[in-house]
Amino acid sequence: MSEAASNPSERPLDFVRQIVADDVAAGKNGGRVQTRFPPEPNGYLHIGHAKSICLNFGLAKEFGGKCNLRFDDTNPTTEETEYVESIQNDVRWLGFQWDGLFYASDYFEQLYLWAEKLIELGLAYVDSQSSEAISQQRGTPSIPGTNSPFRDRSVAENLDLFRRMKAGEFPDGTHVLRAKIDMASPNFLLRDPLLYRIKHAHHHRTGNKWCIYPMYDYAHGQSDSIEQVTHSICTLEFDAHRPLYDWCIEKLGIFPSRQYEFARLNLTYTVMSKRKLLELVQGKFVSGWDDPRMPTLCGLRRRGYTPEALRAFCAEIGVTKFNGLTDMVVLENSLRHDLNKRAERRMAVLRPIKVVIENYDPDLTEQLTAVNNPEDEGAGTREVPFSREIYIERDDFMENPPKGFFRLSPGREVRLRWAYFITCTGVVKDEAGNITEIRATYDPATRGGDAPDGRKVKATIHWVSANHSIPAEVRLYDHLCKIEDLSQVPENEDWKSYLNPASIDVVTAAQLEPSLSAFADGRPVQFERLGYFISDSRDSQPGSLIFNRSVTLKDAWAKAQKK
Ligand code: ATP
Ligand code: MG
C-alpha cells in the first residue's frame, strides 16, 4: 500500500466528489448539497451498503450538506418493521446520523396525485392486459415493441380506471398504469414503463390504506425531488434508468434532482445481495442475519469488525465507475490495521496439551509481567500467573519434528512468552500411544524471556497456567463461499452448493489467561499468535465464555512466527 493510498484525504477527488465540488463551485442549487441513503427495508444492511452510506453521508459532511435516510418501502410484500429498525441501528453504528428520516410511503398521496397529473397530460394510461401480454409486446433490442391496444384510451377513461384501481375495485394483475413514452425506444425502460400496479397487500406502515403501489422507477426520482435531493447516488445498474428518472421529473415540472451512478461493491468469497443472504437465513445455512460469517453489518459487528475499520475500508476502495471484485484481504487488512493499534494482547491456548515443568516448585505461583500492547505504551502491563503445570498448543509440539520445525520437541529449548525458557525432557503417552503430557525443565535465569548468557532460542510460544486458566469456546471462521467470484456460477446451478462447508470451526475446550474474563464486555483483543477476537455478543455468558475470531494476524507475521 502506498502512502498516498493509505491516506485517502491526500488522494484526488473521486468522480462523484468532483461532480459535487464542481456543482458547489458553480453555485448550482445555491451551493446546497442534499443526498440520501435509500435502502429498501427488505433485509439487513451489508458491507456493500456501507460503501453507499459512507459516500452519501460523507458527501454531505464534506460539502456542508445534508443526508437523509429514506426507506424505499414501495413493495409491501417484502418489507418489515424489523428491517427498518435494524437499518437505523446499523447506520448509527457505522457512525452516521441522518438529517431527515423519511419513508417513500409517506409520499404515496403525492405520488398518486402526480400520476393523475401525468394521465391528465396524456402521458400515462391504464393498460388492462395481462403481464404476459405486456412483456410479449416489449420487443427485443432490435425489434421495436408493439403498442398496447389500450394505449389510446381517453384521459377521462384513464382517470376513471385509475381512481377505481385505487378504490380497490379490481383484483391484482387486472390493470396497471403505464407511462406513455415510446415503444420503439432503444432503451427498454422507456417502452411505456409500468408506474403503478395493483397489490392487495398489507403495508408495514400504511396498513390496508393502499391497494395500488408505485414502481421503484416512478417512486424513487419523485421522492428525491420531494426531498430536494441534489445528488441522487446509486449503483451502475441504474444507468439505464436515468432517462426515465429525468423524464418523470421533467414532465411533472418538479425539483430537478439528478442521478449519478457508481460501481457497487463486490467482495471475493462472499455474497452481496439481500435476496441471497435471505436465502441463507431462511434455509438455515447460517444462524441468522448476524451470523459472524455473514457480510451483513450486524454479522461483521458480531464478528468483531469496528465502524472505524469499515469506514477506512470504504475510503480505501474509493468510488469508481467500473464494476470489479474487491479482494476480501483488503477488508481484513482494514480491521488488522485498526485493531493492531487498540486491541490489547492476551494469551489463549485453543487446543491445549499439558506441560509439567519438573524442576518448578509445585507450591509456587509467580506473577509475571506482560506488555498489554507493544503498539500502545499507554495500554500498560498486566500480571500473568505462572506455575508448574501449563498448557501450550498441541501444534506447538512435535515428537519427531521435520526439518524446519523450531518449536517444542524432545531436547529442544523454546521461550514461553513473557516467562522462561523451557526444554522438553520427554512425553507421557496413554495406552493407545497418544501423547497426554509433556515433561520439561525451565531455566530460572531466563525469567522475563532472556538468557543472561545471551543464548538464543528459535521459537517463542504462548501458554497459560493450568491451575489459573479459564475454559472457553472459541469459534474460528473461514470464507463463507468456496469460490472467489460467485457471479460466475451459472444460472442453472444452485449457488449454495458453493458454500464453504468448513466456514466455521468450533473449538470447545480452549484455555484462556484469567484476565480474559474482563473481555466479556465486547472489547476487541488479540490472542497472541492467533488473531483478533471478540466475545460473542449473542451466545457468550459469564462462566461460559465464547470468543469469535475476527481475523487472523497478518499471514506474513504468522508464517514468520511459526518458523
Ligand atoms: P441488494 O441487491 O443487496 O438487495 P439493493 O441495491 O437492492 O441491494 P437497496 O436497499 O435498494 O439494496 O440499496 C440501498 C442503497 O445501497 C442503494 O442506493 C444501492 O445502490 C446501495 N447498494 C446496495 N448494494 C450495494 C453494493 N454492493 N455496493 C454499493 N452500494 C450498494
Ligand atoms: Mg433494491
Side-chain angles (χ1 to χ4, degrees):
M1 200 191 311
S2 74
E3 268 306 299
S6 65
N7 187 351
S9 64
E10 287 172 15
R11 281 192 276 183
L13 294 184
D14 60 60
F15 83 98
V16 175
R17 285 179 166 83
Q18 191 61 57
I19 289 168
V20 175
D22 291 346
D23 286 350
V24 169
K28 202 170 162 189
N29 300 306
R32 191 176 57 84
V33 173
Q34 173 76 58
T35 58
R36 87 286 171 266
F37 172 63
E40 184 181 350
N42 60 351
Y44 283 67
L45 296 182
H46 52 62
I47 175 80
H49 292 111
K51 179 177 182 183
S52 173
I53 293 170
C54 287
L55 179 57
N56 279 298
F57 285 90
L59 282 172
K61 201 167 168 190
E62 290 154 38
F63 291 94
K66 295 197 158 121
C67 181
N68 294 339
L69 174 60
R70 183 204 314 141
F71 290 102
D72 223 326
D73 56 349
T74 54
N75 188 359
T77 49
T78 55
E79 295 158 2
E80 289 173 28
T81 307
E82 173 196 349
Y83 299 139
V84 168
E85 282 161 10
S86 76
I87 289 169
Q88 294 187 39
N89 190 31
D90 286 347
V91 171
R92 275 200 218 97
W93 175 74
L94 206 51
F96 298 103
Q97 183 56 53
W98 47 88
D99 292 288
L101 175 64
F102 299 113
Y103 296 81
S105 57
D106 292 341
Y107 309 140
F108 280 171
E109 190 65 39
Q110 176 66 74
L111 294 173
Y112 172 81
L113 292 174
W114 279 337
E116 284 204 351
K117 182 170 172 183
L118 288 177
I119 293 172
E120 281 161 2
L121 291 169
L123 295 171
Y125 62 97
V126 173
D127 195 339
S128 307
Q129 303 182 95
S130 67
S131 59
E132 294 77 27
I134 292 174
S135 64
Q136 271 165 18
Q137 289 161 5
R138 277 187 37 166
T140 68
S142 53
I143 304 170
T146 317
N147 284 354
S148 162
F150 299 102
R151 198 171 197 262
D152 293 318
R153 275 177 162 155
S154 69
V155 168
E157 191 184 359
N158 281 322
L159 264 186
D160 174 60
L161 283 170
F162 189 48
R163 286 175 182 163
R164 288 165 60 198
M165 280 167 65
K166 179 187 179 225
E169 287 187 27
F170 307 117
D172 290 8
T174 49
H175 307 274
V176 290
L177 185 73
R178 298 176 71 177
K180 194 174 191 174
I181 307 181
D182 179 6
M183 286 305 289
S185 172
N187 182 339
F188 265 64
L189 294 165
L190 295 182
R191 293 186 184 178
D192 290 9
L194 266 55
L195 302 180
Y196 271 88
R197 77 274 202 215
I198 302 174
K199 230 178 209 189
H200 291 271
H202 184 88
H203 185 279
H204 75 112
R205 293 191 81 237
T206 57
N208 295 324
K209 179 164 182 223
W210 295 87
C211 62
I212 56 170
Y213 290 94
M215 303 299 289
Y216 171 90
D217 277 322
Y218 177 69
H220 200 89
Q222 278 53 261
S223 301
D224 284 343
S225 184
I226 291 169
E227 293 172 25
Q228 307 230 328
V229 167
T230 55
H231 300 83
S232 174
I233 296 162
C234 61
T235 44
L236 285 181
E237 338 61 281
F238 288 95
D239 178 76
H241 298 241
R242 189 171 0 97
L244 178 55
Y245 182 103
D246 291 341
W247 184 90
C248 291
I249 283 178
E250 188 209 314
K251 299 301 177 197
L252 291 168
I254 56 181
F255 178 82
S257 296
R258 288 284 169 258
Q259 177 185 298
Y260 303 91
E261 307 89 23
F262 72 104
R264 67 191 295 120
L265 171 68
N266 293 302
L267 268 182
T268 56
Y269 299 109
T270 192
V271 282
M272 200 72 81
S273 110
K274 277 182 287 187
R275 188 177 53 76
K276 287 189 171 142
L277 296 174
L278 181 63
E279 255 183 277
L280 293 181
V281 173
Q282 288 179 337
K284 304 221 184 308
F285 293 93
V286 294
S287 63
W289 285 100
D290 67 350
D291 187 299
R293 292 167 292 179
M294 293 279 271
T296 50
L297 295 185
C298 54
L300 290 165
R301 174 163 69 233
R302 187 168 160 201
R303 174 82 168 256
Y305 271 82
T306 61
E308 290 83 354
L310 295 182
R311 292 198 303 264
F313 167 73
C314 291
E316 168 80 27
I317 57 175
V319 177
T320 70
K321 266 214 167 283
F322 308 99
N323 277 325
L325 189 59
T326 299
D327 197 323
M328 183 63 95
V329 171
V330 181
L331 178 63
E332 292 174 350
N333 278 341
S334 70
L335 184 61
R336 292 183 178 114
H337 185 76
D338 182 36
L339 295 184
N340 182 39
K341 286 174 289 179
R342 56 206 187 98
E344 292 194 4
R345 276 58 166 167
R346 291 294 184 272
M347 291 193 284
V349 176
L350 300 191
R351 295 178 173 91
I353 184 159
K354 190 174 273 185
V355 180
V356 177
I357 302 167
E358 293 166 318
N359 61 339
Y360 195 89
D361 180 351
D363 298 322
L364 184 64
T365 298
E366 282 180 280
Q367 297 294 338
L368 302 176
T369 302
V371 172
N372 284 335
N373 185 353
E375 301 292 323
D376 174 14
E377 225 172 278
T381 59
R382 68 185 185 284
E383 295 195 322
V384 188
F386 184 81
S387 64
R388 187 170 194 263
E389 298 192 351
I390 62 170
Y391 292 121
I392 65 166
E393 300 284 352
R394 273 184 183 273
D395 273 2
D396 280 337
F397 177 81
M398 282 186 93
E399 193 178 14
N400 300 300
K403 203 165 168 281
F405 182 90
F406 296 115
R407 290 164 284 156
L408 199 62
S409 54
R412 173 85 52 78
E413 185 171 53
V414 299
R415 175 189 294 110
L416 295 177
R417 182 78 157 147
W418 310 117
Y420 293 100
F421 285 10
I422 58 166
T423 303
C424 173
T425 53
V427 297
V428 178
K429 293 185 180 176
D430 63 15
E431 281 165 13
N434 301 309
I435 298 173
T436 54
E437 202 175 283
I438 297 166
R439 296 294 167 121
T441 55
Y442 85 116
D443 176 358
T446 57
R447 182 178 159 129
D450 285 306
D453 62 5
R455 80 180 183 279
K456 299 280 183 232
V457 286
K458 283 198 171 150
T460 300
I461 63 176
H462 60 273
W463 55 276
V464 295
S465 168
N467 281 330
H468 303 87
S469 60
I470 47 178
E473 176 178 312
V474 174
R475 298 173 181 171
L476 308 176
Y477 301 101
D478 197 354
H479 296 140
L480 186 57
C481 302
K482 284 190 285 196
I483 53 169
E484 269 201 341
D485 186 358
L486 220 67
S487 71
Q488 299 301 313
V489 176
E491 283 290 325
N492 59 356
E493 270 187 63
D494 181 6
W495 66 275
K496 295 189 294 306
S497 64
Y498 291 91
L499 290 172
N500 177 7
S503 57
I504 181 166
D505 177 8
V506 178
V507 178
T508 51
Q511 293 288 340
L512 314 179
E513 174 185 332
S515 66
L516 270 167
S517 62
F519 287 79
D521 65 1
R523 265 177 298 157
V525 61
Q526 184 191 107
F527 292 177
E528 295 218 38
R529 298 174 67 223
L530 300 175
Y532 293 99
F533 292 74
I534 190 161
S535 84
D536 188 84
S537 54
R538 192 177 279 282
D539 299 338
S540 189
Q541 302 290 334
S544 68
L545 299 177
I546 301 176
F547 280 85
N548 293 319
R549 179 151 67 190
S550 314
V551 68
T552 55
L553 299 176
K554 271 198 183 89
D555 287 349
W557 194 89
K559 267 184 215 144
Q561 291 297 303
K562 277 196 174 151
K563 280 200 178 133

